[in-house]
Amino acid sequence: MHEVWIDAILGSWGRDDFDDHVTFGCRIGPVAGSPGPAATLVNGGEVAGDSPIFGRKLSREEGLTHPRLAEFWQMVDLILERDALVRRHLVGT
């Protein structure tokens, strides 16, 4: 089984102000004790540059308590449900 890493920036778009942007991150892949892939929150934007567009890159701990966490998981679910390329890579078929 492979793994997928997803970073997502949540915030207002269509302007040059990124003050309300936050970046979440997760890893989806094998986890001990799980028969299938599982999603784990990780530090957001860890491998990305320092562009202001990322806003505040949330640590795993910050992300776990952030009020927009549910939105992030909805986005991850949508990607896994609708992006055939990501899904094929994850399960290796």
Side-chain angles (χ1 to χ4, degrees), residues 22-25 42-45 56-63 66:
V22 292
T23 301
F24 287 88
V42 298
N43 296 336
R56 182 167 182 198
K57 294 179 184 179
L58 300 174
S59 69
R60 172 178 160 63
E61 293 74 25
E62 291 169 325
H66 197 279

Side-chain angles (χ1 to χ4, degrees), residues 16-36:
D16 293 332
D17 180 11
F18 307 119
D19 289 346
D20 69 343
H21 284 200
V22 292
T23 301
F24 287 88
C26 76
R27 176 198 170 272
I28 304 159
V31 174
S34 176

Side-chain angles (χ1 to χ4, degrees), residues 36-78:
T40 305
L41 198 66
V42 298
N43 296 336
E46 198 163 63
V47 298
D50 288 332
S51 171
I53 199 167
F54 291 99
R56 182 167 182 198
K57 294 179 184 179
L58 300 174
S59 69
R60 172 178 160 63
E61 293 74 25
E62 291 169 325
L64 288 170
T65 60
H66 197 279
R68 297 191 79 176
L69 179 60
E71 289 176 76
F72 173 68
W73 287 129
Q74 288 175 336
M75 186 178 304
V76 170
D77 288 345
L78 184 65

